[in-house]
Amino acid sequence: MTTSATRSPVPRDHPAAQAAGGAGGGQHRTPLVTRLFGRQPIGMLLAAPYAVFIAVIFAYPIGFAVYMSFTDYYFTAPGVTVPHPFVGFDNYKTVLTDPAVLASFGHVGIFLILNVPLTVALSLGLAVALNRAIHFRTFFRAAYYVPYVTASVAVVAVWLFLFSSTGLVNQILGPLAPDPSWLVNSVWAMPMIALFVTWKQLGFFILLYLAALQNVPKELYESASVDGAGAWRSFRSVTVPGVRQATALVLLLAIVTGANLFTEPYLLTGGGGPDGASTTPVLLMYQQGIQQGKPSTASAIGVVLVILVLIVALVNRRLTERSER
Amino acid sequence: MRPSRPSRRYRHGLAAAVLAGAIVVLTACGSSGGGSTDAASAHGPIKIWYSNNEQEIAWGKQVVDAWNTAHPTEQVTAEQIPTGKSSEDVIGAAITAGTEPCLIYNTSPAAVPGFQKQGGLIDLSSFPDGTSYIETRTGALAKQYASTDGHYYQMPWKSNPVMIFYNKDLLTKAGVDPTKPPLATYDEFLATAKKIVDSGAAPYAIYPAPSSEFYQSWFDFYPLFAAASGGKQLVADGKSQFNTPEGLAVANFWQQIYAQKLAGNETYTGDAFADGKAAMAIVGPWAIAVYKDKVNWGVAPVPTATGMKADQIHTFSDAKNVGMYASCTNQGTAWDFLKFSTSQEQDGQLLTLTGQMPLRTDVPATYADYFAKNPDYKLFAEQAARTVEVPNTANSVEIWQTFRDAWTSAVIFGKSGVQQAMTDAATKIDQLASQK
């Protein structure tokens, strides 16, 4: 896209404009209000509620969590003053040498390896299918969205019924069913959680892709068809590049929500079972920070988790940007 | 020259200053407040929370009505405890925020050391008649509820001594005499359990929750350990007490139950006993009202290795107590109401309306008329005199979580040796219990 110089006058604060008007104009001071709040103070005013929201709901708790992770902290009643001595990296040493914490990060790693590619592949594939003129399209769109809007507690009960040792799945599989059954099997517990979360959140990611697909020009498909491209070639060469921005968003959201996994191991595998095979960092944060009154170590786990998620998100961004170039 | 604009650095600095200001304000908000020094003797309106089950709501409403009628200037407002993942989470958050009521009739003894450390509980022994009232009402059992400093930060209120409930119809179907099922020793229990499962009467003989929550061991290991050890707690004087021949025998008994698939190791979303999925359950007297129209039930004491006599068997209390909380400004009224609500008359109302046992001396004789009319509850009342509480110790919840993790690994899923798991857990728990 080009910009016409004739249609776009040079901004007043552009160096060219300054050079033209500045000669012999002398130096004039900008009012204090402008220096503090910019040339459009109303903009700051409009942005203020959201900035305050971010500061109170997001920045303050994160800052406080980092502070707690470097102190010996516990929650007290108002008016009760207790020392919160600085302990350096002691809390980090504690959590990073705790086999249960390290295992929980490993479990989330397994979860992400399974959940993220599955989420991207299935949601894109189903979105493409639902974008076509198929029978019952509206019904299918709603059907995929239902698990997403249903409370985890309710759908967990259905999965417990399906995947218990006497459940429907094992009855169909017969002698091929694993023993112990899926949700109490150390090998299968985490993959089952990954599958459950993929299924539950698919509707949301399909919606993202459906929105992105509306922006892929039909002409590109027609050109590809004229050039002799089949359905698969069109998908690879037109659809996938056309929804790349949506893919970056889906990847990011899947990674962030996956790293914060709590409800599913809490309910589906009875608190991270069997024998701790499906514990997650957030589950341990709940146990240590809320139940056991050790917010310092819980915060240290949280900070490590945030750092790891940022690293993964950064790598993801670099990879998607590179493929965009 | 280019006119000066607010530099990016300047604006970032301003934003940081605003954020820092907000943090200071919020921090100040978070640490303000505190109770009045006159609160201990102050009288006036108070607020209380009680449990949200139907029976306790009925009891709570009548006790508040009775008090309010007689004390128009010291009105009590009652609410059900807000919903959360657990009552302890809700109370802990309320303490931190300073929004807890004066009294909570749902305080778990396991949570008391944590609440006390938070500065959230009023020392009831600080009232002139505090210790004497508690010890006179509850008797020797009261000592289990004293904190490590010897003071009471909780009023022992009611217990639900757990016993073995069994489904007579399923036992009959399995060919077991339902009037006197052989459940007294570990061997008898295992043989009966095997008969139930092998006969197809029920998929499982018993179904304690196999999940990893810290409190689940109160309903599988702890009652049998209390019985086997003659009334010992998990921890005493900063040392674990379960890594003993008695404790290991209990663990091995349950390991056999799971290894032979006599108990389920998967999370069950309903009530396995009510649904007929299990022929037995470990429950307290609350179960009588719950199961009376659903199951043709009978009750027996928890098993022991040698088959102790029923009148010697201890069990877990499953007690819920009353705490007076730090943000209470009218503590004089709160103490008076606490005594009123735990009086002989109100304890009688509690027994009548909920079937739960008041933590007071000689319940069977005190309420003889009730037990004459409701003989089902008499066994539980007799058992209530021999209950064992969770230890009132530092790191209480972490200690139980450590134990539970070892238990699920070794006993429920057989991933490690029972003896090694118990020894490792005991070592960790000794360290936790010795911390202040």
Side-chain angles (χ1 to χ4, degrees):
Chain A
M1 195 170 163
T2 56
T3 306
S4 162
T6 53
R7 284 193 291 114
S8 298
V10 179
R12 277 184 202 165
D13 57 353
H14 191 276
Q18 290 160 16
Q27 202 169 9
H28 56 275
R29 286 188 66 80
T30 310
L32 182 65
V33 173
T34 309
R35 275 188 284 142
L36 280 176
F37 299 109
R39 283 185 296 107
Q40 300 292 345
I42 191 80
M44 256 199 162
L45 193 69
L46 292 170
Y50 189 67
V52 170
F53 172 79
I54 291 287
V56 173
I57 304 296
F58 190 71
Y60 172 68
I62 281 204
F64 203 79
V66 173
Y67 162 71
M68 285 195 293
S69 72
F70 286 103
T71 59
D72 181 7
Y73 194 93
Y74 58 89
F75 298 118
T76 55
V80 176
T81 43
V82 288
H84 299 303
F86 179 75
V87 296
F89 285 93
D90 283 4
N91 292 319
Y92 289 92
K93 277 184 207 156
T94 303
V95 301
L96 292 174
T97 53
D98 183 345
V101 175
L102 298 178
S104 73
F105 279 105
H107 300 152
V108 163
I110 293 168
F111 173 87
L112 292 178
I113 287 167
L114 294 169
N115 169 261
V116 175
L118 261 180
T119 298
V120 172
L122 287 176
S123 53
L124 178 57
L126 287 167
V128 169
L130 290 172
N131 199 38
R132 297 205 171 138
I134 57 167
H135 288 303
F136 310 115
R137 188 167 67 166
T138 311
F139 166 76
F140 281 119
R141 283 183 177 184
Y144 284 115
Y145 202 65
V146 167
Y148 180 71
V149 293
T150 308
S152 280
V153 178
V155 281
V156 156
V158 177
W159 275 60
L160 285 172
F161 167 73
L162 285 173
F163 290 95
S164 70
S165 53
T166 54
L168 189 65
V169 172
N170 280 6
Q171 284 181 17
I172 293 167
L173 287 174
L176 296 175
D179 184 24
S181 193
W182 307 94
L183 299 169
V184 287
N185 187 309
S186 300
V187 175
W188 282 104
M190 213 61 217
M192 289 309 295
I193 289 174
L195 201 64
F196 173 86
V197 174
T198 306
W199 167 77
K200 188 168 187 319
Q201 299 197 326
L202 212 51
F204 173 69
F205 293 121
I206 287 173
L207 267 193
L208 289 183
Y209 272 124
L210 276 171
L213 285 169
Q214 310 313 309
N215 292 330
V216 181
K218 296 267 187 298
E219 295 78 13
L220 292 179
Y221 288 106
E222 288 165 12
S223 303
S225 175
V226 169
D227 290 345
W232 175 242
R233 184 73 197 175
S234 282
F235 175 77
R236 278 186 57 200
S237 302
V238 179
T239 307
V240 172
V243 297
R244 182 163 286 129
Q245 294 294 337
T247 302
L249 181 63
V250 169
L251 280 169
L252 189 67
L253 289 176
I255 290 166
V256 171
T257 52
N260 286 296
L261 198 64
F262 172 78
T263 308
E264 288 74 16
Y266 186 73
L267 295 174
L268 200 60
T269 52
D275 188 22
S278 61
T279 52
T280 63
V282 179
L283 185 73
L284 293 184
M285 283 168 68
Y286 167 69
Q287 285 183 351
Q288 297 193 7
I290 306 294
Q291 291 186 320
Q292 298 171 14
K294 290 165 61 186
S296 293
T297 48
S299 298
I301 297 173
V303 171
V304 172
L305 184 65
V306 167
I307 291 168
L308 289 178
V309 169
L310 284 175
I311 291 170
V312 173
L314 197 67
V315 169
N316 164 51
R317 193 178 158 185
R318 287 279 152 81
L319 289 174
T320 47
E321 274 178 356
R322 189 183 297 168
S323 53
E324 219 169 326
R325 285 199 291 271
Chain B
M1 195 179 158
R2 183 176 168 180
S4 67
R5 287 191 301 163
S7 70
R8 183 174 288 185
R9 191 191 298 170
Y10 195 90
R11 276 183 285 170
H12 284 184
L14 182 69
V18 170
L19 183 61
I23 289 172
V24 168
V25 169
L26 283 166
T27 310
C29 289
S31 59
S32 68
S36 155
T37 49
D38 298 330
S41 56
H43 288 257
I46 62 164
K47 200 163 110 178
I48 68 163
W49 284 349
Y50 48 63
S51 187
N52 55 8
N53 67 70
E54 191 185 329
Q55 293 84 4
E56 286 184 52
I57 291 171
W59 175 82
K61 282 185 174 166
Q62 66 78 34
V63 70
V64 168
D65 286 346
W67 170 271
N68 284 345
T69 306
H71 301 84
T73 58
E74 297 176 81
Q75 293 286 287
V76 174
T77 311
E79 288 173 11
Q80 292 173 40
I81 190 164
T83 319
K85 278 200 165 59
S86 71
S87 300
E88 291 71 43
D89 294 359
V90 171
I91 297 169
I95 289 172
T96 309
T99 56
E100 80 278 21
C102 276
L103 300 168
I104 301 179
Y105 286 75
N106 198 28
T107 300
S108 167
V112 165
F115 295 162
Q116 192 184 331
K117 188 181 174 188
Q118 283 187 274
L121 287 167
I122 302 292
D123 178 3
L124 300 180
S125 299
S126 66
F127 292 96
D129 58 343
T131 300
S132 61
Y133 179 80
I134 291 169
E135 292 183 349
T136 304
R137 175 175 170 272
T138 306
L141 284 179
K143 284 287 178 202
Q144 296 190 90
Y145 300 96
S147 290
T148 46
D149 61 1
H151 292 209
Y152 291 98
Y153 292 81
Q154 58 187 320
M155 166 78 79
W157 180 38
K158 63 180 169 77
S159 71
N160 275 283
V162 300
M163 300 180 78
I164 303 287
F165 243 47
Y166 53 84
N167 183 323
K168 287 181 177 174
D169 295 342
L170 293 181
L171 260 56
T172 305
K173 206 171 159 189
V176 178
D177 177 8
T179 56
K180 211 180 171 197
L183 298 168
T185 67
Y186 296 158
D187 290 341
E188 283 178 1
F189 194 101
L190 280 166
T192 302
K194 204 162 171 355
K195 257 188 177 179
I196 291 165
V197 174
D198 288 350
S199 66
Y204 297 105
I206 195 163
Y207 211 136
S211 49
S212 306
E213 293 94 349
F214 71 91
Y215 50 82
Q216 297 296 2
S217 289
W218 302 345
F219 304 99
D220 44 31
F221 168 78
Y222 207 41
L224 274 69
F225 173 68
S229 63
K232 283 186 181 171
Q233 292 183 303
L234 190 82
V235 171
D237 302 323
K239 290 281 288 179
S240 62
Q241 302 205 96
F242 59 87
N243 194 24
T244 56
E246 294 84 19
L248 286 172
V250 174
N252 282 320
F253 164 73
W254 279 109
Q255 195 270 336
Q256 284 294 306
I257 293 264
Y258 283 104
Q260 295 180 41
K261 300 196 173 181
L262 304 174
N265 63 4
E266 296 176 273
T267 303
Y268 188 78
T269 48
D271 180 336
F273 185 66
D275 296 348
K277 298 285 180 197
M280 294 183 280
I282 300 184
V283 292
W286 56 265
I288 295 174
V290 172
Y291 293 126
K292 70 178 176 189
D293 297 326
K294 296 176 187 164
V295 179
N296 178 18
W297 59 270
V299 64
V302 295
T304 56
T306 54
M308 276 182 194
K309 284 184 178 172
D311 61 3
Q312 293 172 358
I313 292 177
H314 287 73
T315 191
F316 169 54
S317 65
D318 194 15
K320 281 284 161 58
N321 295 336
V322 191
M324 187 185 294
Y325 288 83
S327 64
C328 184
T329 48
N330 290 319
Q331 290 168 19
T333 298
W335 177 240
D336 288 345
F337 181 76
L338 187 47
K339 287 190 286 185
F340 175 80
S341 61
T342 52
S343 61
Q344 185 172 322
E345 184 192 344
Q346 283 303 326
D347 278 347
Q349 288 284 351
L350 179 77
L351 180 64
T352 307
L353 293 170
T354 71
Q356 300 179 62
M357 302 297 144
L359 269 166
R360 61 164 50 243
T361 52
D362 206 4
V363 170
T366 308
Y367 305 105
D369 289 351
Y370 173 83
F371 291 109
K373 285 182 202 156
N374 301 278
D376 292 341
Y377 289 89
K378 202 171 177 194
L379 256 181
F380 286 100
E382 286 161 359
Q383 182 70 78
R386 297 179 306 281
T387 53
V388 175
E389 191 44 74
V390 297
N392 191 323
T393 180
N395 300 312
S396 171
V397 173
E398 196 176 356
I399 284 171
W400 280 108
Q401 188 67 62
T402 303
F403 183 84
R404 187 66 186 170
D405 290 345
W407 181 266
T408 51
S409 173
V411 174
I412 298 178
F413 294 107
K415 296 279 180 190
S416 51
V418 169
Q419 184 149 13
Q420 190 59 49
M422 290 294 113
T423 302
D424 292 347
T427 307
K428 281 188 207 165
I429 287 171
D430 286 347
Q431 287 168 3
L432 290 167
S434 62
Q435 292 169 9
K436 294 293 171 194

